[in-house]
């Protein structure tokens, strides 16, 4: 009897682990999560986002993973990293940080609700709510005394803006993110592949202060519309979550999607990492492509779609309109929530004020006093 109970417990723990690790690029220290699950406990996992540029459609990757973590009965913390925002080369000036954090809270909630995630089970934490405490600040000093400049630069290489004469704050950024794992009392951190160097640094650095190492869940990176990774700071590479259906269609039409080439194809990446997983979360995993005078192409997995694209059965001319329609449909609830929330609209104007265009003043050219028509007020006119 006891053996049967143990087998069931093992099977249940494995099913939870499979859900936690599903669709990830990599899991660092998976045995830490497996131990927690074997003990019948809920892993506490956090995902952090620096409140800088306006979130884009790539944020669905984290949202869809968070949905799976909640289904696996994990305790999930969303960190709104406001202090990190201005440490990263002042991407968010201090006077804008507070409202940008509020904006992120609004839009992340809307993303999760749009794919059916019960946000009442999430814990939102503002970085500045604990990162200014004496205990945290002292840990920053302690860590700074143990980590070299080279190691700090390496850890933040892909997440902190690199310049030839970078401010010192960029070296503090990775230290803070590593310490967040301890001060949020989590077992694991979720992030993108661009944070892998920082995650490996956390595994090495935390034990130096006597703290336990954590596991890390690494999401794949979604290609941007211009081939590189999608970024909030590169306007042409992203689709803003509040873009209209018309703007979405316009950006997708202009996106780089060479025929028969699937590598670094941002349009296919949107199907693979956003549209298909979101459809699965809603209960019907499929992506449909309409064709004139023919039956539509229906895909339930990305492998078949990629094969058809490589064989030119699925062309860019067919794929792009289908992706535009899919994204517009997916983001419609987010935009409806925005339109119905006057407070959110006010926050947006404060967080991302429109640029001030200075009117050019006509410069009066000084032609001296000897040109024809000059006023007779100089010594020569006397």
């Amino acid at each position: 009897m006891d053996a049967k109970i143990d087998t069931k417990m093992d099977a249940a723990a494995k099913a939870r682990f499979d859900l936690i690790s599903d669709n990830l690029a990599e899991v660092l220290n998976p045995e830490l999560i497996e131990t927690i699950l074997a003990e019948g406990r809920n892993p506490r996992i956090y995902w952090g986002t620096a409140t800088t540029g306006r979130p884009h459609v790539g944020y669905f990757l984290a949202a869809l993973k968070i949905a799976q973590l909640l289904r696996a009965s994990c305790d999930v913390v969303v960190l709104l990293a406001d202090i990190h925002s201005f440490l990263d080369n002042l991407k968010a000036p201090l006077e804008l940080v507070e409202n940008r954090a509020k904006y992120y809270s609004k839009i992340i909630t809307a993303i999760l609700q749009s794919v059916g995630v019960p946000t009442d089970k999430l814990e939102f934490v503002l970085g500045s709510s604990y990162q200014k405490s004496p205990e945290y600040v002292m840990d920053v000093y302690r860590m700074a005394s143990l980590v070299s400049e080279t190691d700090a630069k390496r850890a933040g290489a892909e997440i902190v803006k690199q310049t030839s004469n970078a401010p010192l704050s960029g070296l503090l950024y990775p230290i803070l993110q590593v310490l967040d794992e301890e001060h949020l009392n989590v077992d694991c951190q979720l992030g993108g592949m661009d944070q892998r160097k920082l995650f490996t640094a956390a595994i090495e650095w935390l034990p130096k202060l006597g703290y336990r190492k954590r596991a890390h869940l690494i999401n794949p990176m979604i290609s941007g519309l211009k081939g590189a990774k999608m970024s909030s700071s590169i306007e042409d590479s992203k689709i803003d979550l509040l873009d209209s259906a018309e703007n979405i269609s316009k950006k997708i039409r202009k996106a780089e999607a060479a025929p028969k080439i699937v590598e670094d194809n941002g349009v296919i990446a949107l199907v693979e990492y956003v549209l298909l997983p979101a459809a699965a979360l809603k209960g019907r995993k499929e992506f449909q492509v309409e064709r004139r005078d023919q039956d539509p192409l229906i895909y339930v997995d990305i492998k078949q779609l990629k094969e058809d694209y490589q064989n030119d059965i699925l062309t860019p001319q067919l794929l792009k309109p289908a992706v535009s329609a899919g994204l517009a449909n997916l983001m419609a609830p987010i935009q409806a929530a925005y339109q119905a929330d006057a407070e959110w609209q006010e926050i947006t104007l404060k967080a991302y004020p429109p640029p001030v265009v200075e009117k050019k003043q006509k410069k009066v050219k000084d032609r001296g006093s000897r040109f024809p028509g000059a006023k007779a007020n100089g010594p020569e006119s006397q």
Side-chain angles (χ1 to χ4, degrees):
M1 184 69 178
D2 290 340
K4 288 183 180 179
I5 291 174
D6 288 341
T7 301
K8 287 182 180 178
M9 289 292 291
D10 289 343
K14 185 179 186 308
R16 292 179 70 190
F17 180 79
D18 288 345
L19 193 54
I20 290 169
S21 57
D22 184 46
N23 288 332
L24 292 174
E26 188 177 2
V27 180
L28 302 181
N29 292 326
E31 69 281 357
L32 299 179
I33 300 174
E34 290 172 337
T35 299
I36 293 170
L37 295 173
E39 294 171 353
R41 295 189 288 116
N42 294 339
R44 181 173 166 84
I45 301 173
Y46 104 86
W47 171 70
T49 178
T51 51
T52 53
R54 288 171 59 136
H56 49 71
V57 71
Y59 277 65
F60 270 102
L61 269 77
L64 295 168
K65 189 68 240 176
I66 288 171
Q68 289 183 309
L69 296 177
L70 290 171
R71 285 190 176 180
S73 298
C74 298
D75 298 327
V76 181
V77 178
V78 174
L79 172 65
L80 301 173
D82 52 343
I83 288 183
H84 289 71
S85 303
F86 66 86
L87 286 180
D88 187 1
N89 210 31
L90 294 177
K91 283 185 179 178
L94 279 171
E95 61 271 17
L96 300 180
V97 164
E98 181 181 355
N99 283 300
R100 287 193 178 180
K102 291 177 181 177
Y103 179 90
Y104 267 65
S105 178
K106 290 276 190 183
I107 204 159
I108 290 169
T109 299
I111 295 171
L112 295 169
Q113 290 175 342
S114 74
V115 291
V117 178
T119 54
D120 58 315
K121 295 183 180 180
L122 286 174
E123 179 184 347
F124 282 87
V125 176
L126 193 64
S128 57
S129 68
Y130 69 91
Q131 289 167 348
K132 294 187 286 186
S133 70
E135 296 80 11
Y136 188 91
V137 172
M138 193 64 220
D139 271 352
V140 172
Y141 294 155
R142 292 170 63 202
M143 187 73 80
S145 72
L146 298 172
V147 174
S148 71
E149 176 188 358
T150 300
D151 288 345
K153 283 182 177 178
R154 183 186 300 114
E158 294 186 52
I159 56 172
V160 179
K161 186 176 181 180
Q162 303 293 307
T163 59
S164 58
N165 189 25
L168 184 60
S169 58
L171 299 179
L172 290 176
Y173 188 109
I175 289 176
L176 265 66
Q177 187 166 340
V178 167
L179 289 173
D180 288 340
E181 295 184 357
E182 174 66 25
H183 287 263
L184 288 171
N185 191 29
V186 297
D187 304 299
C188 180
Q189 183 178 174
L190 167 67
M193 184 57 80
D194 59 341
Q195 300 192 59
R196 192 184 189 283
K197 290 179 181 177
L198 194 145
F199 290 166
T200 57
I203 293 169
E204 178 188 348
W205 296 354
L206 283 177
K208 291 182 178 181
L209 295 186
Y211 297 141
R212 61 189 172 97
K213 63 181 180 180
R214 271 69 177 185
H216 297 87
L217 307 178
I218 304 180
N219 259 331
M221 298 298 294
I222 186 168
S223 298
L225 301 181
K226 297 298 182 182
K229 77 172 184 177
M230 193 170 289
S231 170
S232 296
S233 60
I234 305 175
E235 186 61 34
D236 289 344
S237 78
K238 65 166 186 170
I239 293 174
D240 191 284
L241 289 166
L242 295 179
D243 274 344
S244 65
E246 183 182 353
N247 282 341
I248 292 171
S249 180
K250 182 179 179 181
K251 288 182 178 181
I252 293 294
R253 283 199 306 270
K254 293 169 64 178
E256 294 179 8
K260 302 182 181 183
I261 306 297
V262 299
E263 291 79 14
D264 295 325
N265 187 317
V267 181
I268 290 178
L270 288 169
V271 180
E272 181 173 6
Y273 296 119
V274 178
L275 295 177
L276 273 175
L281 200 59
K282 292 180 178 182
R284 188 175 181 179
K285 185 181 180 182
E286 70 171 36
F287 175 68
Q288 186 166 305
V289 179
E290 298 295 337
R291 296 187 293 177
R292 183 179 297 177
D293 301 326
Q294 290 179 283
D295 292 335
L297 296 169
I298 298 176
Y299 299 100
V300 296
D301 67 75
I302 197 64
K303 183 180 178 182
Q304 184 60 53
L305 184 146
K306 288 182 176 180
E307 286 181 3
D308 281 0
Y309 195 85
Q310 287 174 321
N311 294 325
D312 214 28
I313 296 170
L314 176 63
T315 64
Q317 292 75 21
L318 290 172
L319 178 63
K320 287 185 174 184
V323 170
S324 297
L327 289 175
N329 182 60
L330 182 62
M331 293 193 289
I334 300 174
Q335 295 172 3
Y338 177 78
Q339 294 300 329
D341 192 334
E343 181 188 16
W344 186 358
Q345 295 170 34
E346 183 180 348
I347 288 169
T348 303
L349 288 174
K350 292 178 179 178
Y352 302 99
V356 178
V357 180
E358 293 185 8
K359 190 175 181 180
K360 287 186 177 181
Q361 298 291 330
K362 188 174 180 180
K363 189 175 181 181
V364 179
K365 188 175 181 181
D366 183 4
R367 293 186 257 180
S369 59
R370 302 180 71 95
F371 74 96
K375 291 183 179 180
N377 55 2
E380 295 181 8
S381 63
Q382 294 178 351

